[in-house]
């Protein structure tokens, strides 16, 4: 019986050491994996923030999953956390009468690409500005997973077009005179 007791104790100790080594290795692997995920997320955010155009992603419900610094600035927000989880078509169209019929909301619902050369987006302050934007569905294993939208503030372009039209009218008036 004594021999059996010492054998069982030895086996339990070995099993305990082996389990401890396995748990320690698993924890190290998990920590390394989480660190790698964090580094990749930070790298991706730096890439997104380096873009001049506004970029944001939405899930299948149209809720914000990421947004870059340019989009935050154009929309009048300070931090990504101000918009994460919020319904983006309501954010960008909150000052318009019917947000549900906006082309970008329809493109999310219909899971299709969209390019609009002129539309109005709303800032947090309630002021609106003209944008050109694109929306592209994201698919994962063939299933709709959300969309990525990019946009530019085209206020300066609109001002130049207006100035060109005024100039054309003035030239036409001179020619007629």
């Amino acid at each position: 019986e004594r021999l059996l007791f010492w054998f069982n104790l030895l086996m339990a100790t070995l099993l305990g050491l082996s389990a401890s080594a396995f748990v320690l290795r698993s924890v190290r692997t998990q920590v390394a994996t989480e660190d790698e995920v964090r580094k990749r997320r930070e790298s991706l955010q730096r890439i997104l923030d380096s873009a001049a155009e506004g970029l944001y992603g939405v899930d299948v419900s149209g809720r914000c999953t990421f947004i870059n610094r340019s989009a935050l600035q154009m929309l009048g927000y300070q931090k990504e956390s101000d918009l994460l989880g919020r319904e983006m078509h309501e954010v960008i169209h909150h000052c318009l009468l019917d947000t549900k019929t906006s082309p970008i909301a329809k493109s999310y619902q219909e899971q299709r690409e969209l390019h609009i050369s002129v539309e109005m987006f709303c800032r947090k302050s309630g002021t609106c500005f003209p944008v050109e934007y694109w929306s592209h569905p994201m698919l994962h294993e063939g299933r709709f997973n959300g969309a990525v939208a990019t946009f530019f503030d085209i206020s300066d372009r609109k001002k130049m077009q207006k100035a060109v039209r005024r100039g054309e009218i003035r030239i036409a008036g001179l020619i007629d005179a």
Side-chain angles (χ1 to χ4, degrees), residues 13-146:
T13 303
L14 288 174
L15 187 59
L17 289 172
S18 203
S20 295
F22 176 75
V23 168
L24 187 59
R25 192 173 331 131
S26 294
V27 167
R28 283 185 191 142
T29 301
Q30 183 176 355
V31 166
T33 301
E34 288 172 356
D35 190 47
E36 184 63 27
V37 167
R38 181 188 54 76
K39 286 178 184 176
R40 287 182 184 210
R41 188 174 288 142
E42 288 171 356
S43 177
L44 178 60
Q45 191 64 47
R46 280 192 302 276
I47 291 168
L48 290 172
D49 286 343
S50 71
E53 65 268 340
L55 291 156
Y56 66 86
V58 295
D59 62 14
V60 294
S61 300
R63 289 183 171 73
C64 184
T65 56
F66 69 85
I67 189 162
N68 73 342
R69 186 172 293 129
S70 293
L72 288 170
Q73 289 172 347
M74 284 185 264
L75 296 172
Y77 291 87
Q78 297 298 314
K79 358 180 239 293
E80 186 181 32
S81 60
D82 293 338
L83 293 176
L84 291 180
R86 291 187 56 195
E87 215 168 293
M88 282 305 289
H89 72 270
E90 288 181 5
V91 168
I92 61 178
H93 291 117
H94 68 85
C95 55
L96 305 176
L97 293 176
D98 189 2
T99 62
K100 299 296 182 192
T101 61
S102 71
I104 200 162
K106 285 182 181 179
S107 75
Y108 301 157
Q109 295 162 357
E110 297 169 4
Q111 304 167 17
R112 63 179 170 82
E113 288 189 10
L114 175 70
H115 172 239
I116 300 287
S117 58
V118 179
E119 185 164 320
M120 300 301 281
F121 276 11
C122 304
R123 293 184 186 92
K124 182 180 180 183
S125 66
T127 61
C128 294
F129 62 103
V131 297
E132 179 173 4
Y133 73 87
W134 295 259
S135 175
H136 299 276
M138 292 188 303
L139 302 175
H140 180 69
E141 296 178 358
R143 295 172 58 195
F144 180 66
N145 199 27

